[in-house]
Structure formats: C-alpha cells, structure tokens
Amino acid sequence: MSAHDTPDIRRHTERLTADGIDVVRVIYPDLIGTDRARDVLVDHLPAACEHGLAFCKAVYHTTPQGDVVPVAGGLDAGLPDVCVRPDLSTLSALPWEPGVATCLGEVTDPATSGPAAESPRDLLRAVLARCAARGLRPVVGPELEYFLLEPAPQAPTGWRRAPEVSGAVYTAGLRADPGNHLLRTLRLLRDLGLGVVTGNHEFDGGQYEINLTHSEALDAADRAFRFKAAVKELARKEGNLATFMAKPFGDAGGSGFHLHLSCQDEAGGNAFDDPAGSYGLSTAARHAVAGILAHAPALAALANPTVNSYKRFGPDTLAPWLIDWGLDNRSAMVRVPPERGSGARLELRLGDASANPYLLIAGTLAAALLGIEAGEEPPAPLEGYGYDTARSAVLPTNLPAALDALEADTALAELLGKDFTTSYLAYKRNEVERFQRHVTDWEFTEYAYHL
C-alpha cells in the first residue's frame, strides 16, 4: 500500500479500536474454495497493509489432508511465497467472536507484483474484465445447500445427520430443525453482512438451504465464499459439522450450488430481457445459453470438482446430468425462470455445493461469454420431465472425464488462463490418482469374504 493510503488505514484502526476489536482475521480462498487465514492484531494492521502477509504459495497445492501436490511453481520452485494484503473495504465484525473482525485478502505474486496465477478471486476478475469489454456487467444470485451433522461415535464416519427426520421437505421451524440451527445461523449471517435473505430445511434429514441476494458477480462470489466459511465455523462452535460435500450419504440426495445469472447493459438495463425476442429473451441471453451448453462438459470440472461430485448424478436425482435447457423446468441443466423484464435471468443447476464459488461463477461467465461471442442459437428447450438420453447428451460421468473435457476445451481454458488451467488440472488429477489407489469399505465388503 502506498503512503497516501495511510490516513485510510488509520481511520479503520481507530474505528476498530473504538468498537472493541483488537484482531482482524484476513481470509482468502485456496484453489478448492476453502478459507486460508491469519489473525492480525490491530496494532500490526498498518504493517500488514504496507508489506503484506507472507504465505507459502503451496497453500494452493495442498490437499484437504495436508499433503502438497507437485504442481509447477510450488515444490519444484522451492516453495516460494505469495503476498496477502488485507482488503479493508471488506471489513466486518464477526458476530460470534467478540473482539474479532474479518476481511478478505488480496493475493499477489512477489516475483511479478501481479496476481497469483492460482488466485480464484483474480481469475474471476479477469473474466469480468472480458465481460466489461463487451459492455456487460454480470449479476449473480447464489443458492447453496449443505448438511448439518452431529457426532455419532458408533457411526462408520463418526457423524450422523442432525436431525435424521425424513419427509420434512421445504419446511422451517422445529419439525425438521429441533435445535433451531437455521434461525441462529440466518441471524448471525445477516449480522455479518452477507446478504442472506431466506432459509429452509431442504429435501433430506439434516439438509438446509440458505439463499443470498443477487449482486455484481465478484461481490456475489465473495459473499458465497464467506458464507460457506461462516456456516462451517458456526457448526464447529457448537461441536457439529456442516459439510458442503456434494453427496455425503448414499441414501440421500446431494447438495447443489445453483447460480442465477443475468447481465446489465451499459445503460443499466437487463441485457437478457427482450419482449420481442424468442421466449422473451434477448439475443445475448439465448447465445449465453448456447455457450453454457456448448462448454458444459468442461464446465463440469469446475462446477462438480470432486470424485464424490459425480455420485450426485443419475436418473431421478433431480440433479442435472444431461446437457439441456428449459423454460421454468427444474429437470434441465439450465433453467430459465418465468420472470422477464428486470427479473430475466438464467439458472445454472449444474454446480454442487463443493464448488469453489469464484471458479464456478468465472467458468459459467466464461462459457456464457464465449456463446455470446460465437453468436449461436441454442436448440429447442426441453419440454416435460428431463433425463432422457435420447433427447440430450450426457455430461461427464466422473471427474477424470470432466478434467479431460476442460483440457480439450481450448477456448474456455484460454479465457480462464493457461497457468490457472494447468495448475488446476495437475492438482485435480492428483486427487483422482489418490482415490484410485484407496481401498474403500465397499470393496472390502464386496470381495473379501468370497474371493
């Protein structure tokens, strides 16, 4: 930070001190969208802003189990640093941690003074710059589902759904949430300033959905990232586990991460609305749909980023596993809700809750933008209940196939950035290799006694 920013830093530190806050937690997303962080005493905040906080770059290449994947620029380069500076414009007090505020961190590469290639937030910024060059300002509304689990020492995983009640689909109150988890979480997330608007118990026992208001795409990604981190932290505080894993239980459905997408034009109007256009959609909106469909196999690598993600798909799962679109049709991969005018938008239903918000939004925008630039029309919309392979192509059915599709989709990979794509593919292919070497409980049960 330059010297002329010093008064602004002083203003923030004085306000924090006056509010009884003496620690600022600086967080930023890693490659898979989990939060990396450091607590900074307020007295040290000016120095952190001036010089940055050093983190090992391999944090982007570290697995959930703590192993470092050999991605180029990490281990082979001697584990260099990235520099993280607090973004004080995102400061907010943590309602459940007295004396603590939190803010996002801006990540740079000390070797280039530019963004780190793996930084998800900067990847989204790059895609948004390409959108802005075409006079489009994307607006996104995230919808996320998750499971709340409580300790169960006798269960194979050590956890069970909280609660395990069935049949309480789309409800609120004590019938499906006897511990009032949802109400407490909604109120605390509201106080954190994340723009949450509604919440309910979802389809399966212990499953919840909380919706966030729509906003400019980077802000929506920031809020979705902070939302996931906050929900997990609040569950930990009570001795529970909140998981955004795509499908944590074989006998239950998965958790989705749906995106509502529209664009403002340079005049501030909804660029996806056109009363005279086919289906009441503008040319840009229809081309965006065509782009998302065309690049869907590659997009799956970002929207469904884990080995577990593909167990969420299949007939009668209500998760989209075919490449199609429909008008107010929830069995389609891309749904166009019925609103028009200022409410005209697309809903991508492909993503699952494990997706990194920045990468899911960046990939969706990149695919839509490529469609707009290509100028092609989508096929006829799906009619009736979907999941008919005679009518629509099938998405990748496993993570290796999705990663191959991303590598083969040179247009999408180029827009996302060669360095990012190379790192992401190397990291995720390592995940596949580790899984393929792992002996599962299913295999032992299936084979050990009889073979």
Side-chain angles (χ1 to χ4, degrees):
M1 242 180 221
S2 60
H4 69 267
D5 293 313
T6 300
D8 186 54
I9 299 171
R10 185 182 301 117
R11 177 175 58 83
H12 281 292
T13 58
E14 289 174 351
R15 178 172 63 84
L16 291 168
T17 301
D19 290 342
I21 291 171
D22 63 345
V23 171
V24 173
R25 181 165 298 161
V26 183
I27 68 170
Y28 63 99
D30 66 8
L31 202 58
I32 59 175
T34 59
D35 52 308
R36 304 291 176 169
R38 186 167 297 165
D39 285 343
V40 179
L41 290 169
V42 166
D43 291 345
H44 186 69
L45 191 60
C49 293
E50 179 71 27
H51 303 292
L53 304 167
F55 284 82
C56 179
K57 183 182 179 182
V59 71
Y60 286 121
H61 314 148
T62 302
T63 74
Q65 299 304 310
D67 300 314
V68 179
V69 177
V71 175
L75 284 171
D76 63 333
L79 300 172
D81 277 348
V82 291
C83 182
V84 180
R85 286 183 171 84
D87 178 356
L88 299 184
S89 68
T90 64
L91 269 174
S92 56
L94 277 179
W96 58 89
E97 287 281 10
V100 180
T102 184
C103 73
L104 294 172
E106 295 280 14
V107 183
T108 57
D109 183 344
T112 64
S113 299
E118 293 95 339
S119 170
R121 201 169 183 233
D122 289 293
L123 172 65
L124 177 53
R125 282 192 175 115
V127 174
L128 289 171
R130 179 85 169 260
C131 293
R134 293 196 65 89
L136 297 174
R137 179 176 173 268
V139 175
V140 172
E143 293 182 357
L144 278 148
E145 299 168 345
Y146 63 93
F147 278 89
L148 180 71
L149 313 180
E150 60 188 5
Q154 303 308 314
T157 62
W159 300 94
R160 66 184 173 212
R161 282 162 278 193
E164 293 185 316
V165 63
S166 60
V169 182
Y170 303 143
T171 61
L174 301 181
R175 175 158 60 121
D177 182 18
N180 255 337
H181 157 79
L182 184 62
L183 278 181
R184 282 195 309 281
T185 302
L186 269 177
R187 287 167 173 155
L188 289 167
L189 296 178
R190 174 201 61 197
D191 295 344
L192 187 57
L194 296 186
V196 296
V197 289
T198 62
N200 60 268
H201 182 268
E202 249 293 333
F203 202 89
D204 288 295
Q207 189 182 40
Y208 300 88
E209 177 175 336
I210 293 179
N211 297 328
L212 289 80
T213 188
H214 61 276
S215 67
E216 184 274 328
L218 181 61
D219 177 71
D222 285 342
R223 290 184 296 110
F225 162 63
R226 297 175 84 168
F227 165 83
K228 292 178 72 173
V231 168
K232 289 183 283 189
E233 187 75 354
L234 287 169
R236 292 186 195 108
K237 192 173 178 66
E238 297 182 348
N240 295 324
L241 172 68
T243 181
F244 290 86
M245 182 178 174
K247 188 177 173 67
F249 300 101
D251 63 348
S255 291
F257 186 169
H258 300 164
L259 291 182
H260 290 256
L261 168 64
S262 62
C263 282
Q264 288 185 343
D265 57 28
E266 293 176 314
N270 189 327
F272 282 1
D273 179 61
D274 183 358
S278 299
Y279 317 112
L281 299 173
S282 70
T283 300
R286 299 194 307 276
H287 291 171
V289 170
I292 292 172
L293 298 180
H295 297 280
L299 183 57
L302 305 176
N304 312 112
T306 70
V307 169
N308 175 259
S309 293
Y310 296 83
K311 297 179 180 180
R312 172 175 163 261
F313 293 148
D316 300 319
T317 60
L318 294 180
W321 53 282
L322 300 181
I323 302 172
D324 51 17
W325 76 290
L327 301 172
D328 198 16
N329 191 329
R330 283 182 169 81
S331 66
M333 187 190 81
V334 177
R335 169 180 171 254
V336 178
E339 294 87 354
R340 295 295 182 268
S342 62
R345 65 192 186 278
L346 318 176
E347 180 192 9
L348 178 68
R349 299 176 60 80
L350 173 61
D352 67 63
S354 68
N356 181 330
Y358 297 96
L359 302 188
L360 175 57
I361 294 173
T364 304
L365 296 181
L369 185 60
L370 288 170
I372 291 171
E373 292 177 345
E376 297 181 356
E377 291 286 331
L382 170 70
E383 293 186 4
Y385 192 53
Y387 311 116
D388 182 353
T389 56
R391 291 192 287 177
S392 303
V394 180
L395 283 158
T397 57
N398 53 60
L399 182 57
L403 296 174
D404 289 345
L406 176 59
E407 184 174 32
D409 193 331
T410 54
L412 187 68
E414 180 181 345
L415 206 163
L416 295 174
K418 180 181 178 181
D419 289 342
F420 162 77
T421 304
T422 299
S423 294
Y424 186 81
L425 289 172
Y427 179 87
K428 281 294 172 179
R429 282 181 169 142
N430 177 272
E431 178 180 327
V432 172
E433 291 168 5
R434 287 184 286 114
F435 175 74
Q436 289 175 339
R437 292 194 301 267
H438 179 70
V439 178
T440 65
D441 293 343
W442 183 92
E443 291 168 278
F444 188 89
T445 301
E446 185 78 1
Y447 306 126
Y449 184 81
H450 298 286
L451 300 183

